[in-house]
Amino acid sequence: NSTLNKEEYCHKKLKDTFAIIEWIVDENQSFLFCESEHLRKNTNFKHFNHEKIVETMNLIKDKVIKKISDELPDFFSLEFDGWDNNYGSHLLAIFAVYPKLTDGVKNIQRALLTINTLSLDEGQNSNNILTTVIDVLSTYGKTLDNIVCFTGDNCNVNKGISNLTVKGIYRNNNNDNNHKIPLVGCKAHLLNLYVIKEFLVNHMEPIKKVRAFMIKCRNSTWRRAIKHYTDRDPQIDNAT
């Protein structure tokens, strides 16, 4: 626009870039959203395409990683949780948790390091999850030696992750007697175990039958048929 000087043009371009990215993120839209015919017809975002959005998001990601890397202390805990989505994948979220001094007051800071997509089999495998954790830590210039504990559900997969941390293959050494990184379990899970023990113990047979049927429904053939005729998705009760 010839009515804008160079400084005004750059300011408007940055403002528009922030606005479209904020719109995409807040509304959980695809990056292709910026190429929508209706969007371009009814807004001033005509000059955006998804390649530009991806490029900008990668620049933002790099700055966020640097900011978190600079702030992470030498020792912190890792908090992680996983869940299955409706597309046959397992999502794994990993947080760094550490104390942070702000205006003389110490608070607990929780920084999201990643949300990774794994296959359903990978999401139930301690080796694969620990390998993912190590890769994520390396992005921030950290290793397992910087981790004081894990926080997660009291499931066998997470217990297996904790047990594997003694092995040298995961510590870049040949020593299989490294200190074990402890798992701080979930108190809600312990309460759930108490409820099952005290109130549901006499009803476990029908619960097991429902669980077995849900597992059968989650195979690819049955799941596709269910999604074709309904908006439902078979779920398995969560032990944790």
Side-chain angles (χ1 to χ4, degrees):
N1 189 333
S2 58
T3 63
L4 295 176
N5 62 38
K6 186 176 181 180
E7 183 177 346
E8 290 173 330
Y9 174 77
C10 290
H11 177 73
K12 184 180 184 305
K13 188 175 181 181
L14 287 173
K15 188 176 179 180
D16 287 349
T17 302
F18 175 81
I20 189 66
I21 288 177
E22 184 181 41
W23 193 350
I24 289 171
V25 172
D26 286 352
E27 298 296 328
N28 197 27
Q29 296 285 349
S30 162
F31 290 159
L32 290 170
F33 173 69
C34 64
E35 298 180 6
S36 161
E37 178 182 347
H38 295 293
L39 183 78
R40 292 186 168 181
K41 179 181 178 181
N42 297 292
T43 71
N44 294 320
F45 299 141
K46 299 176 176 61
H47 55 286
F48 285 104
N49 56 58
H50 78 277
E51 288 93 351
K52 182 62 179 176
I53 295 298
V54 170
E55 179 185 345
T56 305
M57 289 293 283
N58 281 327
L59 292 173
I60 294 172
K61 179 197 71 173
D62 292 340
K63 289 185 178 295
V64 171
I65 289 175
K66 185 179 187 310
K67 185 177 187 303
I68 294 175
S69 299
D70 292 342
E71 188 174 285
L72 281 177
D74 290 336
F75 300 103
F76 55 94
S77 70
L78 273 191
E79 183 179 277
F80 49 78
D81 197 8
W83 65 97
D84 297 345
N85 62 16
N86 294 326
Y87 304 100
S89 298
H90 185 83
L91 301 178
L92 176 67
I94 303 175
F95 292 83
V97 183
Y98 51 93
K100 181 181 180 182
L101 197 64
T102 306
D103 297 329
V105 179
K106 185 179 288 187
N107 297 302
I108 298 300
Q109 183 79 6
R110 182 177 283 105
L112 176 62
L113 303 183
T114 189
I115 298 180
N116 265 33
T117 303
L118 307 172
S119 71
L120 290 179
D121 289 338
E122 288 174 332
Q124 303 300 321
N125 185 295
S126 300
N127 291 281
N128 288 333
I129 294 178
L130 184 56
T131 299
T132 300
V133 167
I134 292 170
D135 288 342
V136 170
L137 287 173
S138 68
T139 300
Y140 296 87
K142 302 296 183 182
T143 69
L144 289 178
D145 292 330
N146 299 108
I147 308 304
V148 296
C149 68
F150 295 131
T151 303
D153 293 332
N154 307 299
C155 60
N156 289 331
V157 172
N158 289 348
K159 292 175 183 177
I161 293 171
S162 176
N163 292 333
L164 287 172
T165 58
V166 302
K167 294 187 175 295
I169 187 175
Y170 297 108
R171 298 295 192 96
N172 294 323
N173 61 50
N174 295 319
N175 181 14
D176 282 349
N177 294 310
N178 295 283
H179 75 276
K180 176 182 173 181
I181 300 176
L183 172 69
V184 178
C186 175
K187 299 303 179 184
H189 179 214
L190 298 179
L191 176 62
N192 185 46
L193 292 176
Y194 175 80
V195 171
I196 291 175
K197 180 180 178 182
E198 295 297 323
F199 301 103
L200 298 179
V201 65
N202 295 323
H203 306 282
M204 291 308 295
E205 198 57 38
I207 290 175
K208 289 179 180 178
K209 289 182 179 179
V210 171
R211 181 187 301 128
F213 182 66
M214 288 297 102
I215 292 173
K216 189 173 183 179
C217 288
R218 284 168 68 89
N219 76 53
S220 57
T221 303
W222 283 54
R223 176 174 266 176
R224 281 198 299 269
I226 293 170
K227 294 293 286 185
H228 179 75
Y229 292 104
T230 75
D231 60 352
R232 306 295 181 183
D233 192 58
Q235 299 293 325
I236 301 174
D237 57 322
N238 193 342
T240 58

